[in-house]
Amino acid sequence: IGTMDVASWSCSNIQTGVYVSGDKYGGKFSFERYFAGKAEIVCRYGYTYYIGTQKKHEIGTAYYYITCKPSRAILNKSTCTLNLGESVELTYNNSSGYKLPGCFWKTSDKNVATVDGREYTYWVESVTVTAVSEGECTITFDGFSGEKASTCTIIVKAIPPTEITVSPNSLV
């Protein structure tokens, strides 16, 4: 019978953005991944045991291999028609459940519609798209997961007048 003295965890491929942590006894680990790719999770540990009355100490290494598949973020709308001055909230749903490494929202034409009042924004999970002038543009969301970016087409229409008042003095 022996005891696990200490364990340390690491990841061999930091380009996948895998962050690993585990218990000090080497039995469990968890990880968060941000990019697609393969990674080797390494646990280095010390183990103390006795043979008779002689105390032995060994150092070992355990390897776990994981493959992180890319995840595509899907927007809550693929197309949206707005009147001038109206707004809509866009959010994303991450199909894999893994965290995305970041996020970047951009409008193809800030003169037609803005994201949070600007041309682009980042590190937010949702944006408010506001119709600025008549036309069409594309809002692009990139979750930096290695997958194709998601888009929403915004169509902005002018608000037709609801009432026209004509007075005899205004006609010439």
Side-chain angles (χ1 to χ4, degrees), residues 4 26 35 38 41 44 68 73 77 82-83 97 112 124 139 168:
M4 183 75 68
F35 294 99
K38 293 183 179 185
I41 307 297
R44 291 182 177 75
C68 299
K77 296 183 183 295
L82 300 172
N83 290 323
V112 173
V124 293
I139 305 299

Side-chain angles (χ1 to χ4, degrees), residues 10 22 50 58 66 86 88 91 101 131 137 141 144 165 169:
S10 63
Y50 291 88
E58 290 187 12
I66 59 172
E86 287 185 333
V88 66
T91 60
C137 70
F141 172 85
F144 303 109
T165 304
N169 295 337

Side-chain angles (χ1 to χ4, degrees), residues 81-130:
T81 300
L82 300 172
N83 290 323
L84 277 173
E86 287 185 333
S87 296
V88 66
E89 182 179 39
L90 291 182
T91 60
Y92 71 87
N93 177 22
N94 185 355
S95 61
S96 71
Y98 291 123
K99 286 186 176 181
L100 293 174
C103 51
F104 182 77
W105 299 85
K106 183 176 182 4
T107 178
S108 63
D109 189 345
K110 68 180 178 180
N111 296 316
V112 173
T114 60
V115 287
D116 288 345
R118 311 183 269 259
E119 180 179 1
Y120 63 89
T121 190
Y122 45 91
W123 295 111
V124 293
E125 294 185 5
S126 66
V127 292
T128 300
V129 176
T130 304

